[in-house]
Amino acid sequence: MNASTPPAEPRLTSLSHGGGCGCKIAPGVLSEILKGTAAMPIPPQLMVGIETADDAAVWRLNDEQALIATTDFFMPIVDDPHDFGRIAATNAISDVYAMGGKPIMALALVAMPVAQLSTQTIGRILEGGASVCRAAGIPIAGGHTIDSVEAIYGLVALGLVHPGHVKRNADARAGDLLVLGKPLGVGVMSAALKKLELGDAGYAQMIATTTQLNTPGPDLAALAGVHALTDVTGFGLAGHALEMARGARCDVQIDWAAVPLLDGVRALAARGFVTGASGRNWAGYGAEVVLPADFAAEDRALLTDPQTSGGLLVSCAPAALDEVLAVFRRHGFERAAVVGRIAAAAAAAPQLRVS
C-alpha cells in the first residue's frame, strides 16, 4: 500500500456483534423489561398496542381507515452495503403487511461509524433501502442520523388498513390451519456467511428471500377465513407461533416435515453454523415447546432460528386454505406451505407441539 492508497474498509458484519433480527433482545429478557408498560392507559382509538407482542401499533382514524405504525432496525447481516439496506428496509416494511395494511411512507433510521465507513458505503446502504421503498411504492419522507460505534440501519414504516381488516397475531382459532409464506434458515445462512462458509448460490438464495416484500398481507387480511396474521422474524418460527398460541389460549401443532427450509441450511446447521440468538430463543421459551424424543439438534436450531425479513404466518379456517395459497402464489411465494394447525390447549398453559 502506498501513501495515496486509502485503507480498506472493514467488512460490515465485522462491525456488529449480531446481525439482522438476530440482534433482538431475547424473548424472556424482553418480557421482563416491558412488564411494567402494560399498565399504561389505553386510548379507545388504539386498536393494537403492546399487549400481545404484535407486529405494529394500529390507531383507528375513522370508520374507513386505521394507521399502522412500526419501526425496525438492526446491524449488518451481510457485507454488501446495498444488500444490507435492501434487507433492512424489506424487514421493516413487512410489519405493515403483517397487520394487513398497505405502506404509505417511511422514515430512515441511520447510525453509522463514520470514522470507519466511507460516505460512499453509507450512501449505498441508504440507496439499498430506498430501492425497496420504491418497489413498495412509498417515499422515504425523512429520518434521523447519528454517529455510532456499530452500523445500524432501518425504517419507521407507516401504513393504512381498513379497521375491519386488521389482523392481530392473537386471534387464531382452534381448528385453524397454519400457512408459512417463506422457508426458514436465514439465521443459519448468516452465521455461515460471517465465517466465509456460504457459497454464491447460498448467498443468492439468502438475498432473494430477505428482499422479497410480504405483499400478500393486505389480500390475505381481506379474506374472512383468515383469523390471525404475523411475520416470522427474530424469535424464530417457534417464538412467533407461541405468540399466536398465547393470544388464542390454544396449542400450536407444527408438522416439522412440512416446514419449508432454504436449500442446504439443515446441513449448515449440522456443521454448527447457528446464531447465538437461536440459543437465546430456546432459553427464553423452550419450556413451552414439546419436541419428539429423537428431534435432531440441527432441527431445533432451525425451529428457533431468527429470521430476518421472514415470511408471513397465517392462521386460517380450513375452508379458506385454497384462497390463502392462491394469494401467496399470485404474489410469487411459491414455497408457501401448510405447516401445522391450531388446537385446543391440552394443558393449563398454551404450548407449541412439534411432530
Side-chain angles (χ1 to χ4, degrees):
M1 179 184 297
N2 59 44
S4 62
T5 303
E9 288 187 10
R11 294 175 60 201
L12 286 181
T13 53
S14 73
L15 298 174
S16 58
H17 72 279
C21 285
C23 300
K24 277 190 173 182
I25 294 175
V29 177
L30 183 61
S31 296
E32 183 67 18
I33 291 171
L34 296 178
K35 67 180 182 181
T37 60
M40 294 188 300
I42 301 175
Q45 299 93 334
L46 186 63
M47 298 180 65
V48 182
I50 65 171
E51 60 280 352
T52 60
D54 220 319
D55 298 294
V58 182
W59 183 274
R60 186 185 185 102
L61 298 173
N62 51 54
D63 291 343
E64 299 294 323
Q65 293 177 311
L67 178 68
I68 301 170
T70 182
T71 186
D72 217 314
F73 52 88
F74 46 63
M75 282 83 83
I77 189 174
V78 295
D79 292 313
D80 182 277
H82 192 262
D83 285 344
F84 170 42
R86 292 170 66 206
I87 294 167
T90 305
N91 180 74
I93 296 170
S94 180
D95 285 339
V96 173
Y97 293 128
M99 299 306 302
K102 295 183 179 180
I104 55 172
M105 71 172 181
L107 307 174
L109 302 174
V110 185
M112 294 289 156
V114 295
Q116 294 178 276
L117 296 179
S118 67
T119 55
Q120 290 81 7
T121 295
I122 296 171
R124 288 286 290 160
I125 294 170
L126 271 59
E127 173 50 34
S131 71
V132 167
C133 289
R134 287 194 294 270
I138 63 172
I140 295 181
H144 187 63
T145 61
I146 64 169
D147 188 1
S148 169
V149 296
E150 293 186 274
I152 298 171
Y153 176 71
L155 301 175
V156 174
L158 302 176
L160 291 174
V161 62
H162 190 286
H165 290 174
V166 173
K167 299 298 181 183
R168 303 194 309 160
N169 64 357
D171 295 328
R173 303 177 188 178
D176 279 0
L177 297 175
L178 284 179
V179 180
L180 178 62
K182 291 184 183 181
L184 303 180
V186 171
V188 167
M189 284 191 160
S190 70
L193 176 67
K194 198 162 188 177
K195 295 181 180 179
L196 303 178
E197 292 288 342
L198 185 67
D200 291 345
Y203 184 79
Q205 187 182 192
M206 177 183 172
I207 297 302
T209 191
T210 54
T211 59
Q212 186 176 22
L213 287 162
N214 277 323
T215 53
D219 290 345
L220 292 168
L223 299 176
V226 170
H227 300 141
L229 189 60
T230 190
D231 59 352
V232 178
T233 53
F235 298 152
L237 175 60
H240 293 285
L242 274 168
E243 288 176 344
M244 277 192 170
R246 297 181 195 118
R249 295 181 174 86
C250 292
D251 285 349
V252 171
Q253 298 176 346
I254 296 292
D255 177 5
W256 184 246
V259 175
L261 302 176
L262 293 168
D263 296 342
V265 293
R266 195 170 186 274
L268 287 172
R271 292 172 56 195
F273 295 114
V274 177
T275 68
S278 179
R280 292 193 297 274
N281 282 342
W282 182 254
Y285 55 64
E288 301 170 77
V289 181
V290 180
L291 299 177
D294 59 349
F295 204 63
E298 56 266 33
D299 290 322
R300 197 189 83 175
L302 286 162
L303 182 67
T304 60
D305 190 50
Q307 301 307 288
T308 300
S309 191
L312 296 174
L313 185 64
V314 185
S315 181
C316 69
L321 177 61
D322 288 346
E323 288 181 292
V324 167
L325 291 176
V327 167
F328 274 117
R329 305 290 185 257
R330 188 164 66 245
H331 285 262
F333 289 76
E334 298 300 326
R335 297 196 64 186
V338 178
V339 298
R341 60 188 294 269
I342 306 292
Q351 294 178 316
L352 175 68
R353 297 176 174 272
V354 182
S355 60

